[in-house]
Amino acid sequence: METKIPEQTELVDQIIDVIVSEGMVERDKVRPDATIESLGLKSIDIVMILTALEEKFDVYIPMDGPFHEAKDVKTLIDAMATYISKAKSSSPEASLGQETK
């Protein structure tokens, strides 16, 4: 499991990788303007994506809120990236990492 906070671009790329693998969609279709519906993602796919992100980034992601309400890829990725960044920056490991810099 990763413990560092990735750069925003790296984080977005990692989230897209998870959407592609867990949602079983082609990477070139995961564009910011694509809708969740156009990718064919169902509620269970979103749950699988969130679960995979929890494992990948070692954070708890609630299944409700902005993730559940997202209608397009940009909104979904932005919500995930923001949540993961906040969760990782407030974790004790992140605090320890910041103290040593």
Side-chain angles (χ1 to χ4, degrees), residues 22-86:
E22 295 299 322
M24 293 187 281
V25 296
E26 294 176 31
R27 187 171 180 91
D28 60 340
K29 290 184 178 179
V30 184
R31 298 181 315 261
D33 61 335
T35 63
I36 303 300
E37 186 175 286
S38 72
L39 295 177
L41 296 174
K42 308 284 186 234
S43 294
I44 188 68
D45 297 319
I46 300 297
V47 170
M48 297 292 288
I49 290 167
L50 295 178
T51 301
L53 289 170
E54 284 181 332
E55 290 180 19
K56 183 172 185 69
F57 295 104
D58 194 24
V59 296
Y60 169 73
I61 301 176
M63 298 296 171
D64 56 357
F67 317 107
H68 190 72
E69 298 165 2
K71 301 290 184 217
D72 59 44
V73 169
K74 182 181 183 327
T75 305
L76 181 65
I77 290 174
D78 287 349
M80 289 176 179
T82 299
Y83 189 85
I84 291 168
S85 292
K86 282 183 183 177

